[in-house]
């Protein structure tokens, strides 16, 4: 039959909880912290270094972007100069044609036609 020896192994555990040794809890906590803390500190310093590197990288990228913008503006200025040169040549040709036409009309006037 069922007797006192068949009692559940969990029986009496609840009553034992208040007897937990505070010093043991403190030591276990310190042990746990000392186990994980060095890794966490290494991770923290690695993340700080990574963040600093990212800041440097971002600054470098911004400088490179500004250089590209300058290059684009230089290309635009060069295009503008070559366009100006092209139109100057057209103006010189028109001027030469006008001078030639003026000479011809002057000769026609002199010859009385």
């Amino acid at each position: 039959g069922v007797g006192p020896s068949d009692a559940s192994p969990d029986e009496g555990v609840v009553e034992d909880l208040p007897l937990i040794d505070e010093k043991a809890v403190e030591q276990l906590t310190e042990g746990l912290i000392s186990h994980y803390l060095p890794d966490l500190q290494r991770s923290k310093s690695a993340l700080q270094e990574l963040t600093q590197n990212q800041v440097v990288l971002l600054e470098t990228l911004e400088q490179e972007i500004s250089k590209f913008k300058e290059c684009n503006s230089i290309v635009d200025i060069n295009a503008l100069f070559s366009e100006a040169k092209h139109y100057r040549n057209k103006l010189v040709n028109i001027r030469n044609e006008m001078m030639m036409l003026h000479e011809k009309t002057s000769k026609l006037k002199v010859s009385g036609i």
Side-chain angles (χ1 to χ4, degrees):
V2 177
S5 61
D6 292 333
S8 167
D10 294 333
E11 202 171 292
V13 169
V14 177
E15 292 85 23
D16 291 343
L17 280 178
L19 300 175
I20 290 175
D21 186 0
E22 298 252 344
K23 187 156 179 75
V25 171
E26 195 177 313
Q27 287 175 339
L28 286 169
T29 305
E30 283 177 14
L32 192 66
I33 289 173
S34 68
H35 179 73
Y36 286 108
L37 196 60
D39 285 340
L40 289 171
Q41 285 174 331
R42 278 193 293 275
S43 296
K44 181 184 176 184
S45 65
L47 283 171
Q48 285 174 333
E49 189 179 341
L50 183 64
T51 305
Q52 288 171 348
N53 289 342
Q54 283 180 328
V55 168
V56 171
L57 184 62
L58 282 172
E59 287 172 357
T60 307
L61 278 173
E62 285 172 8
Q63 289 172 1
E64 292 301 314
I65 287 170
S66 67
K67 283 180 190 174
F68 276 118
K69 285 180 181 173
E70 285 174 26
C71 286
N72 282 341
S73 62
I74 288 170
V75 166
D76 291 344
I77 290 169
N78 286 339
L80 196 63
F81 275 121
S82 66
E83 199 173 339
K85 187 178 177 183
H86 171 72
Y87 284 115
R88 184 192 171 281
N89 289 340
K90 276 190 164 189
L91 284 170
V92 167
N93 288 338
I94 290 170
R95 186 175 141 251
N96 290 341
E97 280 185 41
M98 288 177 74
M99 285 174 64
M100 193 174 69
L101 287 172
H102 177 70
E103 275 181 42
K104 284 184 179 179
T105 54
S106 296
K107 284 180 185 175
L108 287 174
K109 283 181 187 173
V110 168
S111 61
I113 297 178

